[in-house]
Amino acid sequence: MLKALKLFLKGALLDQSTEKIEAKSKELNDRLLLLILSHKLGVPNPFFYHCVELLPYLSENLKGLERRILDRKSLISRLTGEIGEP
Amino acid sequence: MNLNGFKYFFLSGKGGVGKTTSSILMALYFSQRGEKTLLVSLDPAHSLGIALKAKLGELPKKVEEKLFALEVNPEKEMEKYLKKVEKEARQIVSPAFLGEVEEELKLAHSSPGALELATADAIYRIAVEGRGFDKIVFDTAPSGYTVRLVASPNSIVKWWKGLISVREEALKYEFLSNLKEKRKLKEIFREDPILKVLTKRLKEYETLKELFTGKETAFGVVFNEGLLPREIGVRTVRELEEAGAPVKFLVFNRVKNGIESLKAKNKIVIKVPEFKEEPIGIEKLKELLKLTRWEVK
């Protein structure tokens, strides 16, 4: 019972307070990835050869990056982008 | 001014003007004066081994007293590096994302500038590992290529610094949102694999920039009698100087008259005369070195 209450409070108070900050960090990582993969926007990255070394560590951001970038305007898709595909 | 004050030498010039012969003469000159010299060929189409009549590889091979030589194969370096990244990806990336990473890796192989960057990696490695040598002479690939290689480190340093600040910012927000995090922010920065890679590259490029524009380095351009090598050579000197590379010497290979359009002030001119036959093999090259004159203008 106490455990459930603890979880409820965490969800209601803590997660809510940190989720915007977390989203900001994800957005910054997306920005980093976009700088590396600028060819996706049609701007070749002259240092791409040295940047591929970073991709294994950023792989989770790689999925759905294009969709998130393309759909920035739509709030729903942005949210689903942050939550991830079902 | 003389060339003994420098440690690194880069020879540039149009293909076929005699860069390889000139680099060997230069390296021989230093080694005969008792300096431990390393001769490096960066040209993907290697001719150093042929000119020295020796089988050369990636590791320094002794070809003469105090003289060592090696050939860098940028293609092979590229292959090795990308294989390493791929292996790493297989280890840490979850199978769901692996496909996308592998696709980007395939792209990297043929991405513009890949070969240049692989060559830059090799120069960096040789400069770091070659600390035991007194002189290192690089027989570089044709001019435009060399110029780009030299001109890019300046902007590249800024660019990597930008990436570092974005990643640090992202980590900062992640740190703030993760209430269970016990480490300090500094520790997180230190342990982050992405920051590790970024700072490694930054260091590499800062070293290269220092190497290409520093006081220990002398660039030289090789000329010969033809009109094209002359014009391209003059242009190379200008481009190198604009890029911040110190052009300290000119090699006139079988050039009969001076080159008027060239302001050869404060530059050492090395005059290599016509030789009775093709100077292949160390003995013939030694003979040619005896006929070569070094002039300070």
mmCIF file of all heavy atoms in Angstrom, chain B residues 217-237:
data_model
loop_
_atom_site.group_PDB
_atom_site.id
_atom_site.type_symbol
_atom_site.label_atom_id
_atom_site.label_comp_id
_atom_site.label_asym_id
_atom_site.label_seq_id
_atom_site.Cartn_x
_atom_site.Cartn_y
_atom_site.Cartn_z
ATOM 1 N N THR B 217 57.469 23.083 -38.873
ATOM 2 C CA THR B 217 57.077 22.539 -40.163
ATOM 3 C C THR B 217 57.506 23.410 -41.332
ATOM 4 O O THR B 217 57.396 24.633 -41.283
ATOM 5 C CB THR B 217 55.541 22.376 -40.200
ATOM 6 O OG1 THR B 217 55.170 21.547 -39.125
ATOM 7 C CG2 THR B 217 55.088 21.759 -41.502
ATOM 8 N N ALA B 218 57.992 22.753 -42.392
ATOM 9 C CA ALA B 218 58.323 23.466 -43.616
ATOM 10 C C ALA B 218 57.591 22.814 -44.777
ATOM 11 O O ALA B 218 57.630 21.604 -44.936
ATOM 12 C CB ALA B 218 59.821 23.432 -43.849
ATOM 13 N N PHE B 219 56.895 23.641 -45.541
ATOM 14 C CA PHE B 219 56.260 23.144 -46.754
ATOM 15 C C PHE B 219 57.152 23.478 -47.927
ATOM 16 O O PHE B 219 57.840 24.503 -47.938
ATOM 17 C CB PHE B 219 54.899 23.819 -46.954
ATOM 18 C CG PHE B 219 53.789 23.146 -46.221
ATOM 19 C CD1 PHE B 219 53.550 23.417 -44.885
ATOM 20 C CD2 PHE B 219 52.985 22.221 -46.866
ATOM 21 C CE1 PHE B 219 52.525 22.792 -44.200
ATOM 22 C CE2 PHE B 219 51.954 21.596 -46.199
ATOM 23 C CZ PHE B 219 51.720 21.878 -44.859
ATOM 24 N N GLY B 220 57.122 22.603 -48.913
ATOM 25 C CA GLY B 220 57.904 22.885 -50.105
ATOM 26 C C GLY B 220 57.114 22.523 -51.343
ATOM 27 O O GLY B 220 56.238 21.660 -51.302
ATOM 28 N N VAL B 221 57.378 23.239 -52.425
ATOM 29 C CA VAL B 221 56.691 22.945 -53.677
ATOM 30 C C VAL B 221 57.733 22.570 -54.714
ATOM 31 O O VAL B 221 58.788 23.198 -54.813
ATOM 32 C CB VAL B 221 55.855 24.152 -54.137
ATOM 33 C CG1 VAL B 221 55.188 23.874 -55.468
ATOM 34 C CG2 VAL B 221 54.804 24.503 -53.084
ATOM 35 N N VAL B 222 57.428 21.522 -55.461
ATOM 36 C CA VAL B 222 58.361 21.030 -56.471
ATOM 37 C C VAL B 222 57.935 21.528 -57.854
ATOM 38 O O VAL B 222 56.756 21.503 -58.190
ATOM 39 C CB VAL B 222 58.405 19.479 -56.453
ATOM 40 C CG1 VAL B 222 59.454 18.963 -57.429
ATOM 41 C CG2 VAL B 222 58.687 18.962 -55.046
ATOM 42 N N PHE B 223 58.917 22.016 -58.612
ATOM 43 C CA PHE B 223 58.662 22.517 -59.976
ATOM 44 C C PHE B 223 59.508 21.729 -60.951
ATOM 45 O O PHE B 223 60.572 21.250 -60.596
ATOM 46 C CB PHE B 223 59.108 23.982 -60.105
ATOM 47 C CG PHE B 223 58.312 24.938 -59.289
ATOM 48 C CD1 PHE B 223 58.600 25.118 -57.952
ATOM 49 C CD2 PHE B 223 57.279 25.658 -59.846
ATOM 50 C CE1 PHE B 223 57.874 26.010 -57.177
ATOM 51 C CE2 PHE B 223 56.547 26.555 -59.093
ATOM 52 C CZ PHE B 223 56.841 26.722 -57.761
ATOM 53 N N ASN B 224 59.049 21.678 -62.206
ATOM 54 C CA ASN B 224 59.991 21.294 -63.247
ATOM 55 C C ASN B 224 59.796 22.158 -64.471
ATOM 56 O O ASN B 224 59.043 23.131 -64.432
ATOM 57 C CB ASN B 224 59.989 19.787 -63.523
ATOM 58 C CG ASN B 224 58.749 19.308 -64.232
ATOM 59 O OD1 ASN B 224 57.945 20.102 -64.708
ATOM 60 N ND2 ASN B 224 58.595 18.009 -64.295
ATOM 61 N N GLU B 225 60.480 21.821 -65.547
ATOM 62 C CA GLU B 225 60.599 22.752 -66.658
ATOM 63 C C GLU B 225 59.287 23.070 -67.392
ATOM 64 O O GLU B 225 59.123 24.125 -67.957
ATOM 65 C CB GLU B 225 61.664 22.194 -67.624
ATOM 66 C CG GLU B 225 62.186 23.140 -68.665
ATOM 67 C CD GLU B 225 62.857 24.396 -68.095
ATOM 68 O OE1 GLU B 225 63.439 24.314 -67.003
ATOM 69 O OE2 GLU B 225 62.779 25.449 -68.746
ATOM 70 N N GLY B 226 58.336 22.183 -67.364
ATOM 71 C CA GLY B 226 57.106 22.392 -68.143
ATOM 72 C C GLY B 226 56.275 23.579 -67.678
ATOM 73 O O GLY B 226 56.377 24.024 -66.539
ATOM 74 N N LEU B 227 55.453 24.095 -68.595
ATOM 75 C CA LEU B 227 54.624 25.257 -68.269
ATOM 76 C C LEU B 227 53.567 24.906 -67.229
ATOM 77 O O LEU B 227 53.337 25.663 -66.276
ATOM 78 C CB LEU B 227 53.957 25.785 -69.557
ATOM 79 C CG LEU B 227 53.076 27.018 -69.374
ATOM 80 C CD1 LEU B 227 53.917 28.224 -68.977
ATOM 81 C CD2 LEU B 227 52.290 27.330 -70.643
ATOM 82 N N LEU B 228 52.902 23.759 -67.387
ATOM 83 C CA LEU B 228 51.841 23.362 -66.455
ATOM 84 C C LEU B 228 52.353 23.183 -65.030
ATOM 85 O O LEU B 228 51.787 23.752 -64.098
ATOM 86 C CB LEU B 228 51.158 22.075 -66.938
ATOM 87 C CG LEU B 228 50.098 22.247 -68.015
ATOM 88 C CD1 LEU B 228 49.590 20.892 -68.458
ATOM 89 C CD2 LEU B 228 48.949 23.090 -67.506
ATOM 90 N N PRO B 229 53.432 22.415 -64.834
ATOM 91 C CA PRO B 229 53.943 22.281 -63.457
ATOM 92 C C PRO B 229 54.314 23.624 -62.845
ATOM 93 O O PRO B 229 54.137 23.846 -61.661
ATOM 94 C CB PRO B 229 55.185 21.412 -63.613
ATOM 95 C CG PRO B 229 55.023 20.720 -64.896
ATOM 96 C CD PRO B 229 54.176 21.582 -65.769
ATOM 97 N N ARG B 230 54.825 24.547 -63.692
ATOM 98 C CA ARG B 230 55.195 25.871 -63.193
ATOM 99 C C ARG B 230 53.983 26.629 -62.696
ATOM 100 O O ARG B 230 53.956 27.134 -61.585
ATOM 101 C CB ARG B 230 55.831 26.692 -64.316
ATOM 102 C CG ARG B 230 57.270 26.396 -64.526
ATOM 103 C CD ARG B 230 57.786 27.407 -65.517
ATOM 104 N NE ARG B 230 59.200 27.168 -65.752
ATOM 105 C CZ ARG B 230 60.055 28.149 -65.988
ATOM 106 N NH1 ARG B 230 59.631 29.381 -66.025
ATOM 107 N NH2 ARG B 230 61.315 27.873 -66.179
ATOM 108 N N GLU B 231 52.987 26.721 -63.582
ATOM 109 C CA GLU B 231 51.796 27.493 -63.229
ATOM 110 C C GLU B 231 51.101 26.898 -62.008
ATOM 111 O O GLU B 231 50.707 27.607 -61.076
ATOM 112 C CB GLU B 231 50.822 27.547 -64.419
ATOM 113 C CG GLU B 231 51.311 28.394 -65.580
ATOM 114 C CD GLU B 231 51.566 29.836 -65.169
ATOM 115 O OE1 GLU B 231 50.698 30.424 -64.497
ATOM 116 O OE2 GLU B 231 52.651 30.366 -65.499
ATOM 117 N N ILE B 232 50.956 25.579 -62.016
ATOM 118 C CA ILE B 232 50.285 24.920 -60.893
ATOM 119 C C ILE B 232 51.114 25.062 -59.621
ATOM 120 O O ILE B 232 50.590 25.271 -58.537
ATOM 121 C CB ILE B 232 49.974 23.449 -61.239
ATOM 122 C CG1 ILE B 232 48.854 23.438 -62.289
ATOM 123 C CG2 ILE B 232 49.554 22.652 -60.010
ATOM 124 C CD1 ILE B 232 48.523 22.112 -62.864
ATOM 125 N N GLY B 233 52.425 24.999 -59.781
ATOM 126 C CA GLY B 233 53.309 25.153 -58.632
ATOM 127 C C GLY B 233 53.179 26.541 -58.011
ATOM 128 O O GLY B 233 53.068 26.682 -56.791
ATOM 129 N N VAL B 234 53.157 27.573 -58.863
ATOM 130 C CA VAL B 234 53.019 28.953 -58.380
ATOM 131 C C VAL B 234 51.694 29.097 -57.634
ATOM 132 O O VAL B 234 51.618 29.696 -56.556
ATOM 133 C CB VAL B 234 53.086 29.962 -59.565
ATOM 134 C CG1 VAL B 234 52.701 31.356 -59.116
ATOM 135 C CG2 VAL B 234 54.485 29.975 -60.158
ATOM 136 N N ARG B 235 50.658 28.505 -58.212
ATOM 137 C CA ARG B 235 49.344 28.570 -57.577
ATOM 138 C C ARG B 235 49.352 27.835 -56.233
ATOM 139 O O ARG B 235 48.774 28.304 -55.257
ATOM 140 C CB ARG B 235 48.313 27.936 -58.514
ATOM 141 C CG ARG B 235 46.905 28.369 -58.209
ATOM 142 C CD ARG B 235 45.981 27.988 -59.335
ATOM 143 N NE ARG B 235 45.821 26.545 -59.426
ATOM 144 C CZ ARG B 235 45.377 25.919 -60.519
ATOM 145 N NH1 ARG B 235 45.101 26.596 -61.602
ATOM 146 N NH2 ARG B 235 45.249 24.614 -60.525
ATOM 147 N N THR B 236 50.036 26.697 -56.190
ATOM 148 C CA THR B 236 50.101 25.926 -54.945
ATOM 149 C C THR B 236 50.777 26.727 -53.840
ATOM 150 O O THR B 236 50.317 26.747 -52.704
ATOM 151 C CB THR B 236 50.862 24.604 -55.159
ATOM 152 O OG1 THR B 236 50.300 23.946 -56.280
ATOM 153 C CG2 THR B 236 50.754 23.707 -53.949
ATOM 154 N N VAL B 237 51.887 27.403 -54.200
ATOM 155 C CA VAL B 237 52.592 28.228 -53.207
ATOM 156 C C VAL B 237 51.626 29.252 -52.627
ATOM 157 O O VAL B 237 51.514 29.428 -51.414
ATOM 158 C CB VAL B 237 53.815 28.945 -53.838
ATOM 159 C CG1 VAL B 237 54.423 29.927 -52.845
ATOM 160 C CG2 VAL B 237 54.860 27.931 -54.259
#
